[in-house]
Amino acid sequence: MPPSTIFAPVLLLLAASWMALATPSELPRFREAPAFRNGPGCASAPTVHIAMTLDAAYLRGSLAGVLSVLRHASCPESLFFHFLATRPRRFRPAVAASFPSLTFDVYRFDPDLVRGRISSSVRRALDQPLNYARIYLADILPRSVRRVIYFDSDLVVVDDVARLWATDLASDHVLAAPEYCHANFTSYFTDRFWSDPIFPRAFSGRSRPPCYFNTGVMVMDLDSWRAGGYTRKLESWMEVQKREARIYELGSLPPFLLVFAGEVKGVEHRWNQHGLGGDNVEGLCRDLHPGPVSLLHWSGKGKPWLRLDAGHSCPLDALWAPYDLLLRDGHHDLFANV
């Protein structure tokens, strides 16, 4: 057999790989989701504002998240989605194609806002500028948006989001989220932080002892955020980490803990069954926490779409699959009927 015949398949594979790398602007194709309409009693329903991010690596997860919110909302036409992306014009058509009737806007997030403030963490994905976009929601969203729910792109909602929106922040809370006070709070900061005579004082005078909370699900009072200058408060801790001392390892989470832990309005744990992606190193399978479930969150290294594609999914990944809008070879996939 001539050498050219032997190496032809290899060359074709290399060419295909090169073409994939040479056309990074191409996004996967997604199917159109069903149209969801308001039910009885929605005439007086408030507009629920939801913020998420869009990028190429997590677009599939973001669209699945949107579909899950719409699927379980009692008033889906009363939802307004606010998407942050570094290249809005690249992602707007994908959202519009999958959700023609969705009310949404896409805003540009400028990576330069955080490039000089990001330090390396335990996982590369946590170092991406867009991971810090949640810090700037109050600055980027219109001032008419006074309150917003922030969702990560690796979750699905299996309950009516209006119930989460109804969280009472009162006048003394800037954000609400499920808290996990059984977690070892000290582990989220380095020995350098705890040994410093000044840094730990950040938690003095808090309403309650500081507890860990996951920033992938938050109800945020943007008016209070703006009035309190909280963007700058988080930036200041990022600058300490970057220029003064390495005080944490986990991307954008520790600055939130430093500013808000002990002052968070608690939300039922059902609204963030997090950690389904395992840890930040191996991404091993995990079970649900005990109790009811309103939201499934694949925080950690393992993402359900990647594990499903690779053929070594975890049992709970099957709960994400029905919301997957990816088109495979131009055909609707097995889980098309939601």
Side-chain angles (χ1 to χ4, degrees):
M1 182 180 294
S4 59
T5 304
I6 297 173
F7 290 109
V10 177
L11 293 173
L12 285 172
L13 287 172
L14 290 174
S17 300
W18 180 87
M19 289 176 65
L21 293 172
T23 56
S25 62
E26 292 184 9
L27 296 172
R29 295 179 59 221
F30 299 92
R31 64 183 175 90
E32 182 178 328
F36 297 95
R37 303 302 180 192
N38 280 357
C42 288
S44 59
T47 299
V48 175
H49 294 275
I50 299 170
M52 300 178 73
T53 59
L54 298 172
D55 70 348
Y58 283 81
L59 179 60
R60 189 171 166 188
S62 296
L63 296 182
V66 173
L67 176 58
S68 73
V69 173
L70 294 171
R71 176 69 179 81
H72 297 280
S74 58
C75 300
E77 292 179 288
S78 300
L79 306 179
F80 194 119
F81 282 83
H82 304 267
F83 297 106
L84 274 61
T86 57
R87 296 169 59 188
R89 284 187 289 184
R90 181 185 183 193
F91 296 101
R92 183 183 294 273
V95 176
S98 287
F99 303 101
S101 59
L102 187 69
T103 304
F104 75 95
D105 205 346
V106 186
Y107 311 84
R108 181 174 185 267
F109 175 71
D110 184 358
D112 290 338
L113 286 171
V114 293
R115 282 200 197 280
R117 298 187 175 101
I118 297 177
S119 56
S120 61
S121 62
V122 296
R123 202 170 95 240
R124 185 178 178 185
L126 301 178
D127 303 338
Q128 301 308 306
L130 201 60
N131 189 46
Y132 293 81
R134 70 198 79 187
I135 294 173
Y136 296 90
L137 286 170
D139 305 310
I140 296 173
L141 269 54
R143 296 191 73 85
S144 58
V145 180
R146 307 178 62 186
R147 177 187 178 106
V148 73
I149 296 173
Y150 173 79
F151 281 150
D152 268 350
S153 298
D154 52 0
L155 56 77
V156 293
V157 176
V158 293
D159 199 348
D160 188 352
V161 74
R163 295 190 174 98
L164 181 60
W165 180 258
T167 302
D168 182 13
L169 285 170
S171 59
D172 54 345
H173 292 98
V174 179
L175 64 81
E179 291 182 291
Y180 304 90
C181 296
H182 63 279
N184 181 8
F185 187 79
T186 60
S187 67
Y188 292 96
F189 302 95
T190 62
D191 291 341
R192 173 68 180 84
F193 173 87
W194 293 112
S195 64
D196 190 272
I198 303 298
F199 295 153
R201 295 183 190 176
F203 301 113
S204 300
R206 300 284 169 97
S207 299
R208 293 172 287 104
C211 292
Y212 161 72
F213 65 95
N214 182 280
T215 57
V217 178
M218 297 184 289
V219 183
M220 307 170 70
D221 183 332
L222 298 186
D223 279 349
S224 296
W225 185 292
R226 294 167 181 133
Y230 284 95
T231 298
R232 184 59 198 143
K233 291 178 181 179
L234 273 79
E235 286 180 334
S236 66
W237 281 111
M238 293 165 62
E239 290 164 2
V240 169
Q241 164 84 347
K242 186 71 175 178
R243 304 188 179 116
E244 197 172 331
R246 189 166 183 83
I247 57 175
Y248 55 79
E249 304 285 352
L250 280 173
S252 63
L253 168 64
F256 272 90
L257 297 179
L258 284 160
V259 173
F260 292 110
E263 301 290 350
V264 173
K265 175 61 181 287
V267 175
E268 288 183 276
H269 288 176
R270 66 187 302 152
W271 283 105
N272 195 350
Q273 283 272 352
H274 68 294
L276 304 185
D279 60 20
N280 284 301
V281 180
E282 298 183 66
L284 300 177
C285 298
R286 286 187 177 173
D287 294 326
L288 289 172
H289 305 289
V293 179
S294 293
L295 184 149
L296 299 157
H297 186 189
W298 280 262
S299 58
K301 184 177 181 180
K303 302 308 172 188
W305 56 93
L306 297 178
R307 296 194 295 211
L308 287 163
D309 287 354
H312 52 76
S313 60
C314 296
L316 291 177
D317 295 344
L319 300 177
W320 181 90
Y323 303 97
D324 188 9
L325 291 172
L326 183 70
L327 274 176
R328 295 174 177 82
D329 300 324
H331 300 289
H332 288 202
D333 65 277
L334 176 63
F335 305 102
N337 296 319
V338 178

Coordinates of all heavy atoms in Angstrom, one line a residue, residues 20-49:
A20 N -10.8 23.7 12.3 CA -11.6 24.1 13.5 C -10.9 25.2 14.3 O -11.6 26.1 14.8 CB -11.8 22.8 14.4
L21 N -9.6 25.1 14.3 CA -8.9 26.1 15.1 C -8.8 27.4 14.3 O -8.7 28.5 14.8 CB -7.4 25.6 15.3 CG -7.3 24.5 16.3 CD1 -5.8 24.0 16.3 CD2 -7.7 24.9 17.7
A22 N -8.8 27.3 12.9 CA -8.7 28.5 12.1 C -10.0 29.3 12.0 O -10.0 30.4 11.5 CB -8.3 28.1 10.7
T23 N -11.1 28.7 12.4 CA -12.4 29.4 12.4 C -13.1 29.5 13.7 O -14.1 28.9 14.0 CB -13.4 28.7 11.4 OG1 -13.5 27.3 11.8 CG2 -12.8 28.7 10.0
P24 N -12.4 30.2 14.7 CA -12.9 30.2 16.1 C -14.2 31.0 16.2 O -14.9 30.9 17.2 CB -11.8 31.0 16.8 CG -11.1 31.8 15.8 CD -11.2 31.0 14.5
S25 N -14.6 31.7 15.2 CA -15.9 32.5 15.3 C -17.1 31.6 15.0 O -18.2 32.1 15.4 CB -15.9 33.6 14.2 OG -15.8 33.1 12.9
E26 N -16.9 30.4 14.5 CA -18.1 29.6 14.3 C -18.5 28.9 15.6 O -17.7 28.4 16.4 CB -17.7 28.4 13.3 CG -17.4 29.0 11.9 CD -17.1 27.8 10.9 OE1 -17.3 26.6 11.3 OE2 -16.8 28.1 9.8
L27 N -19.8 29.0 15.8 CA -20.4 28.5 17.0 C -21.2 27.2 16.7 O -21.6 27.0 15.5 CB -21.4 29.5 17.7 CG -20.7 30.8 18.2 CD1 -21.8 31.7 18.6 CD2 -19.8 30.5 19.3
P28 N -21.4 26.3 17.6 CA -22.3 25.1 17.3 C -23.7 25.6 16.9 O -24.1 26.7 17.2 CB -22.3 24.4 18.6 CG -21.1 24.9 19.4 CD -20.9 26.3 18.9
R29 N -24.4 24.7 16.3 CA -25.8 25.0 15.9 C -26.7 24.5 17.0 O -26.5 23.4 17.5 CB -26.1 24.4 14.5 CG -25.3 25.1 13.4 CD -25.7 24.4 12.1 NE -27.1 24.6 11.8 CZ -27.9 23.6 11.3 NH1 -27.3 22.4 11.0 NH2 -29.1 23.8 11.1
F30 N -27.7 25.3 17.3 CA -28.7 24.9 18.3 C -30.1 24.9 17.7 O -30.4 25.7 16.8 CB -28.6 25.8 19.5 CG -27.3 25.8 20.2 CD1 -26.3 26.7 19.8 CD2 -27.0 24.9 21.2 CE1 -25.1 26.7 20.4 CE2 -25.8 24.8 21.8 CZ -24.8 25.8 21.4
R31 N -31.0 24.0 18.2 CA -32.3 24.0 17.7 C -33.2 25.1 18.4 O -32.8 25.6 19.4 CB -32.9 22.6 18.0 CG -33.1 22.2 19.5 CD -33.7 20.8 19.6 NE -33.7 20.4 21.0 CZ -34.8 20.6 21.8 NH1 -35.8 21.2 21.4 NH2 -34.7 20.2 23.1
E32 N -34.3 25.4 17.8 CA -35.2 26.3 18.3 C -36.0 25.7 19.4 O -36.6 24.6 19.3 CB -36.1 26.9 17.2 CG -37.1 27.9 17.7 CD -38.0 28.5 16.6 OE1 -37.5 28.5 15.5 OE2 -39.2 28.8 16.9
A33 N -36.1 26.4 20.6 CA -36.9 25.9 21.7 C -38.3 26.2 21.5 O -38.7 27.0 20.7 CB -36.4 26.6 23.0
P34 N -39.2 25.4 22.2 CA -40.6 25.7 22.1 C -40.9 27.1 22.6 O -40.1 27.7 23.4 CB -41.3 24.6 23.0 CG -40.2 23.6 23.2 CD -38.9 24.3 23.1
A35 N -42.0 27.7 22.2 CA -42.5 29.0 22.7 C -43.2 28.8 24.0 O -44.1 27.9 24.0 CB -43.3 29.7 21.6
F36 N -42.9 29.5 25.0 CA -43.6 29.4 26.3 C -44.4 30.7 26.5 O -43.9 31.8 26.3 CB -42.6 29.2 27.4 CG -41.8 27.9 27.3 CD1 -40.6 27.9 26.6 CD2 -42.3 26.8 27.7 CE1 -39.9 26.7 26.5 CE2 -41.6 25.6 27.6 CZ -40.4 25.6 27.0
R37 N -45.7 30.6 26.9 CA -46.6 31.7 27.0 C -47.0 31.8 28.5 O -47.0 30.9 29.2 CB -47.8 31.5 26.1 CG -47.5 31.4 24.6 CD -46.7 32.6 24.1 NE -46.3 32.4 22.7 CZ -45.5 33.2 22.1 NH1 -44.8 34.2 22.7 NH2 -45.2 33.0 20.8
N38 N -47.4 33.0 28.8 CA -47.9 33.3 30.2 C -49.2 32.5 30.4 O -50.0 32.4 29.6 CB -48.2 34.8 30.4 CG -46.9 35.6 30.7 OD1 -45.8 35.0 30.8 ND2 -47.0 36.9 30.8
G39 N -49.4 32.1 31.7 CA -50.6 31.5 32.1 C -51.6 32.4 32.7 O -51.3 33.7 32.7
P40 N -52.7 32.0 33.2 CA -53.7 32.8 33.8 C -53.1 33.5 35.0 O -52.3 33.0 35.8 CB -54.8 31.9 34.2 CG -54.6 30.6 33.4 CD -53.1 30.6 33.1
G41 N -53.4 34.8 35.2 CA -53.0 35.5 36.4 C -51.6 36.2 36.2 O -51.1 36.7 37.2
C42 N -51.1 36.2 35.0 CA -49.8 36.9 34.7 C -49.9 38.3 34.4 O -48.9 39.0 34.2 CB -49.1 36.1 33.6 SG -48.4 34.5 34.1
A43 N -51.1 38.9 34.2 CA -51.3 40.3 33.8 C -50.6 41.2 34.8 O -50.0 42.2 34.4 CB -52.8 40.6 33.7
S44 N -50.6 40.9 36.1 CA -50.0 41.8 37.1 C -48.6 41.3 37.6 O -48.1 41.7 38.6 CB -50.9 41.9 38.3 OG -51.2 40.7 38.9
A45 N -48.1 40.3 36.9 CA -46.8 39.7 37.3 C -45.7 40.7 37.1 O -45.7 41.4 36.1 CB -46.5 38.4 36.5
P46 N -44.8 40.8 38.0 CA -43.6 41.7 37.9 C -42.7 41.1 36.8 O -42.6 39.9 36.5 CB -43.0 41.7 39.3 CG -43.3 40.3 39.8 CD -44.7 40.0 39.3
T47 N -41.9 42.0 36.3 CA -40.8 41.6 35.4 C -39.7 41.0 36.2 O -39.2 41.7 37.1 CB -40.3 42.8 34.5 OG1 -41.4 43.3 33.7 CG2 -39.2 42.3 33.6
V48 N -39.3 39.8 35.9 CA -38.2 39.2 36.6 C -37.0 39.3 35.7 O -36.9 38.8 34.6 CB -38.5 37.7 36.8 CG1 -37.3 37.0 37.5 CG2 -39.7 37.5 37.7
H49 N -35.9 40.0 36.3 CA -34.7 40.2 35.6 C -33.7 39.2 35.9 O -33.4 38.9 37.1 CB -34.2 41.6 35.9 CG -35.0 42.7 35.4 ND1 -34.9 43.2 34.1 CD2 -36.0 43.4 36.0 CE1 -35.8 44.2 34.0 NE2 -36.5 44.3 35.1

